[in-house]
Amino acid sequence: MYLTRKQEHMLDGEEGLAVRKSMELLVALGNVFGAEKLVPVESAHISGVSYKNLGDAGTEWLEEQAAMGAKCRIRATLNPAGMDMEKWREMNVPEEFAIGQKRVIKAFIDMGVEPTCTCTPYLIGHVPRRGTQVAWAESNAVCFVNSVLGARTNRESGPTTLASAVTGVAAYYGYRLNENRKPAKIIDIRTPLESRLDYSALGYVTGKLMKSSVPYFRNMGKPDMESMKTLGAACATSGGIALWHGEGVTPEAEWASQYLEGLETITVERKELEEAKAGLMSDPDNPTYCIGCPHCSIKELEETANLVKGKNLKGRLWVFTSRKVYDDAEKGGLIKIIEDAGGKVYRDTCMVVAPLHEMGWQGVGTNSMKGGHYSVAHGFPTKLATVDKLVEEASK
Ligand code: F3S
């Protein structure tokens, strides 16, 4: 792989051990994928934050990186942790878990990472421009930044995003190159998409059909930003999709349309969407109803507040969002409305990365196919429904 003189010095350890280790990782990755060079990246979004996934071994590795002097040289934001960093007791998170989680966040802060703890950094001002190279992890965030914003990243991991944050570079391969951003198949949607859950189900069906190749959607209507974030999350969950094009919707679709000739077209009907939802459904007895996978936007919090306003919820309704959106919602009185009705709004975490079994959960209701997929994988009886139906059930 070609390295600039500066990059060679970084690899030789002239900028310290942490930079050397990070360069070694990125060069090794680039060699595996046949990258010809490293390219500068403008920002990083780092996953692998929940103590549930990291455990002590992962936490110690992060602390070692910080002790070695690892420091971010570009903007780096952080994915959700395993708990609301303030309201974890109210969530019933065990103390031992909280101690581990705080160590993780401290290590990231020591390295100069912004402790945003959200999977929707693009909703809180971390919005790369079209065409820029970034190093992002977290499947929904990757799909959003590639597809909706038109910036460029591969599906990075926690360690590689941290390495890019520390060095400011990433290996040049995969979705960073035009040739790998061409569509592989056309997905022709033959049913109106009537809710965000429908968009989520479309993503889930598409991920299964396309695995990790690039779909070109036709007739996808006019999805709002929230529909596009849930679609991408689902695409990346049932398959490994990192980029999708939507005709008349996404910024690279027009460019992508020059490669459509000769591609296979797969039609998606209502039946497939309903089957995908049904495939994750059982009948939870005592579910916690969850909204916010991916983390809620302010619009979703407004909608939820309008739905619960004046109600006395009997079931548990939990809403997940980022700290910044929470603060905005609090100023607008939305958190109070939801909490007055008996709901809860938590920051920094979500229904997948929190230690739900230890918190005593028995079942899950969600409007997200990604959330539903992981809920089933973690052994919870699961229900999928639109937000208004979830609120209706929680009110009974
Ligand atoms: Fe985000 Fe957690 Fe869902 S990280 S996409 S809310 S599983």
Side-chain angles (χ1 to χ4, degrees), residues 37-269:
K37 61 180 179 179
L38 299 171
V39 283
V41 285
E42 286 197 357
S43 74
H45 180 67
I46 299 174
S47 67
V49 183
S50 173
Y51 181 70
K52 175 177 160 182
N53 303 326
L54 288 166
D56 283 334
T59 306
E60 279 158 21
W61 183 82
L62 287 169
E63 288 172 336
E64 275 166 24
Q65 305 307 304
M68 243 187 261
K71 284 278 176 225
C72 297
R73 63 178 75 195
I74 52 174
R75 182 172 193 194
T77 49
L78 209 54
N79 220 36
M83 62 188 201
D84 185 309
M85 296 306 292
E86 285 166 36
K87 297 198 278 186
W88 56 272
R89 279 200 178 82
E90 185 187 296
M91 291 177 69
N92 205 25
V93 170
E95 179 123 25
E96 197 183 326
F97 184 97
I99 292 167
Q101 188 63 71
K102 286 178 188 173
R103 280 175 56 199
V104 171
I105 299 299
K106 180 177 181 310
F108 278 121
I109 291 173
D110 288 349
M111 290 187 275
V113 182
E114 295 175 35
T116 47
C117 296
T118 180
C119 57
T120 55
Y122 46 86
L123 296 181
I124 59 164
H126 188 174
V127 189
R129 286 164 300 121
R130 183 174 173 188
T132 53
Q133 300 282 353
V134 297
W136 280 32
E138 209 302 302
S139 52
N140 104 76
V142 166
C143 240
F144 197 94
V145 80
N146 270 326
S147 315
V148 181
L149 300 180
R152 298 185 171 208
T153 185
N154 286 314
R155 279 169 63 104
E156 301 283 352
S157 66
T160 63
T161 45
L162 183 58
S164 286
V166 166
T167 58
V169 294
Y172 191 56
Y173 70 95
Y175 295 100
R176 303 190 181 285
L177 295 137
N178 278 349
E179 68 200 63
N180 298 316
R181 297 177 76 86
K182 294 176 189 169
K185 284 180 188 166
I186 299 165
I187 303 288
D188 190 6
I189 303 146
R190 298 281 180 84
T191 179
L193 299 168
E194 289 161 350
S195 65
R196 293 191 193 123
L197 179 56
D198 277 352
Y199 279 97
S200 198
L202 171 64
Y204 202 73
V205 168
T206 305
K208 287 204 162 169
L209 288 168
M210 303 281 298
K211 307 288 186 266
S212 55
S213 54
V214 180
Y216 181 94
F217 291 114
R218 268 201 172 130
N219 300 315
M220 70 184 307
K222 294 200 182 313
D224 61 2
M225 184 278 296
E226 289 74 10
S227 300
M228 292 193 280
K229 79 178 163 73
T230 193
L231 176 135
C235 273
T237 298
S238 58
I241 291 174
L243 166 67
W244 55 271
H245 301 294
E247 195 165 76
V249 174
T250 55
E252 290 183 16
E254 198 178 330
W255 166 82
S257 66
Q258 68 186 298
Y259 301 106
L260 295 179
E261 208 178 311
L263 292 188
E264 181 189 355
T265 297
I266 302 176
T267 57
V268 173
E269 316 262 356

Side-chain angles (χ1 to χ4, degrees), residues 79-81 118-120 122 138-141 229 233-234 237 292-296 320 349-354 368 370-371 374:
N79 220 36
T118 180
C119 57
T120 55
Y122 46 86
E138 209 302 302
S139 52
N140 104 76
K229 79 178 163 73
T237 298
C293 174
H295 273 175
C296 280
F320 297 98
T349 188
C350 80
M351 56 173 290
V352 170
V353 297
S368 159
K370 177 174 180 180
Y374 283 108

Side-chain angles (χ1 to χ4, degrees), residues 345-372:
V345 186
Y346 292 116
R347 306 147 294 187
D348 311 320
T349 188
C350 80
M351 56 173 290
V352 170
V353 297
L356 304 186
H357 287 288
E358 292 87 333
M359 289 157 56
W361 284 33
Q362 294 168 352
V364 168
T366 174
N367 64 331
S368 159
M369 295 295 284
K370 177 174 180 180

